[in-house]
Amino acid sequence: MVGEARVTALNLSSSSLAGTLSPEIGNLTFLREMDLRKNGFHGMLPQEIGRLDTLVLRHNSFQGELPVNLTRCIQLNVLDLFSNNITGKIPAELGRLTKLEILKISQNSYSGNIPASIGNISSLRLLYLGVNFLTGSIPPELGSLPNLQDFSVPDYNLSDTVPSSLYNISSMSVLSLAVNHFTGPISPELGTQFPCLTEIYLGGIDFSGPLPLTLSNASELVKVDVGYNQFSGAIPGNFGLLKCLEWLSLTNNLLAPRRETILVSFVSLSNCSSLAFLDISEQHRRISSTYGLC
């Protein structure tokens, strides 16, 4: 007797589909992976979604709140809702999903605070929360995520200081805190604390103080954006140690170096053979007017 075939994976990505997702999806009791990315689905996510390991719904127009049943999928390791119209608060119950490795809920309409319970998901590697309507601060509990590699919260309304616990995550590779209202200086040991950094985005925050000299310790850095802040002092002359650097934006800060300091900085940057983009414009309007640089 041949056993009955069971649907365990459903991949309909980029299939030009539209309409709503039927509650009858729950009849696929053996379904563990569902990928509907890049379609035209809309409406509410049915409560019948459950028992999944992987759910990818990015680039659709799903609405409403996250189904409660989804926060009970204890085997879930990928939840990707990037670029939809999901509303409500980020459920604190997500902290129960202890096998979750990828959580992408950026570009939705979430409001409220970032739940501290997310700090319980020690398996998390990618955490994308930005471009929502979140408020409050980054919970210090997120510093308990030992495997976090990519952390992105460009969200316009987050505030307070960056919790010191965040600097404990030595596995961090991509860090984006851009376009928020964080205050105070950034850690001067940033490059030492995050030695695996490849991309860092701190633009539009109003951080103050000097640029961290230790950034040169993150030898794999490819992109650095610290524009539109209140960084002051000299442009670090050791950026030339970043052999992989391709993109560097220091625009619109209060960097006002002496002539000899800026010459050292640019001689150093000549060692960055992969550098394709450099923006140091509007530095207190002194670099371009005094030194003829543009």
Side-chain angles (χ1 to χ4, degrees):
M1 179 177 177
V2 179
E4 183 181 355
R6 302 290 188 179
V7 176
T8 60
L10 183 64
N11 187 339
L12 297 172
S13 60
S14 303
S15 298
S16 301
L17 299 175
T20 59
L21 188 60
S22 171
E24 293 182 2
I25 195 74
N27 293 335
L28 300 175
T29 55
F30 285 79
L31 187 64
R32 296 296 177 265
E33 300 180 13
M34 184 161 66
D35 187 344
L36 304 179
R37 77 181 78 189
K38 295 184 179 180
N39 282 292
F41 288 110
H42 62 272
M44 305 275 288
L45 289 171
Q47 286 288 346
E48 287 75 11
I49 290 180
R51 300 178 295 274
L52 293 172
D53 297 337
T54 299
L55 179 61
V56 180
L57 302 176
R58 63 189 292 127
H59 295 296
N60 280 283
S61 298
F62 285 110
Q63 302 160 330
E65 298 188 4
L66 200 67
V68 173
N69 279 353
L70 201 54
T71 65
R72 297 170 182 163
C73 296
I74 59 174
Q75 299 300 320
L76 195 65
N77 55 58
V78 176
L79 178 57
D80 186 349
L81 305 176
F82 182 89
S83 189
N84 278 278
N85 296 313
I86 307 297
T87 57
K89 298 182 184 302
I90 300 175
E93 290 79 9
L94 287 177
R96 300 173 183 169
L97 305 180
T98 56
K99 295 187 177 181
L100 200 61
E101 296 183 19
I102 297 175
L103 177 58
K104 295 183 178 182
I105 57 176
S106 296
Q107 293 192 27
N108 279 281
S109 296
Y110 281 109
S111 59
N113 296 333
I114 299 173
S117 61
I118 290 179
N120 297 329
I121 313 174
S122 59
S123 55
L124 266 181
R125 295 185 293 108
L126 276 65
L127 178 57
Y128 295 176
L129 305 176
V131 197
N132 280 288
F133 299 98
L134 302 175
T135 54
S137 58
I138 297 175
E141 288 81 1
L142 297 193
S144 300
L145 299 174
N147 298 301
L148 193 62
Q149 298 172 10
D150 291 14
F151 180 45
S152 177
V153 287
D155 205 71
Y156 307 106
N157 293 310
L158 296 176
S159 58
D160 208 346
T161 58
V162 177
S164 58
S165 60
L166 199 68
Y167 299 118
N168 295 331
I169 308 176
S170 60
S171 57
M172 193 78 74
S173 175
V174 177
L175 176 64
S176 178
L177 306 177
V179 199
N180 278 294
H181 299 292
F182 299 120
T183 57
I186 197 75
S187 170
E189 301 301 321
L190 188 66
T192 303
Q193 292 158 324
F194 296 149
C196 301
L197 270 183
T198 59
E199 300 177 26
I200 183 165
Y201 303 97
L202 304 178
I205 297 178
D206 280 344
F207 279 132
S208 59
L211 284 171
L213 290 172
T214 59
L215 274 177
S216 63
N217 292 342
S219 58
E220 301 301 315
L221 268 172
V222 174
K223 293 186 178 182
V224 177
D225 183 357
V226 295
Y228 294 92
N229 281 284
Q230 301 292 322
F231 287 117
S232 57
I235 298 173
N238 59 1
F239 276 164
L241 299 175
L242 300 174
K243 303 298 185 182
C244 301
L245 192 63
E246 299 176 3
W247 204 95
L248 175 61
S249 175
L250 308 175
T251 184
N252 283 273
N253 278 282
L254 300 176
L255 300 169
R258 300 184 302 274
R259 178 189 296 268
E260 60 271 20
T261 306
I262 193 170
L263 289 176
V264 168
S265 299
F266 279 97
V267 169
S268 175
L269 284 173
S270 67
N271 295 321
C272 303
S273 58
S274 299
L275 190 62
F277 178 89
L278 172 63
D279 188 351
I280 59 167
S281 60
E282 298 294 329
Q283 297 297 333
H284 215 25
R285 298 188 181 275
R286 292 182 58 182
I287 290 181
S288 58
S289 61
T290 307
Y291 305 123
L293 300 170
C294 58

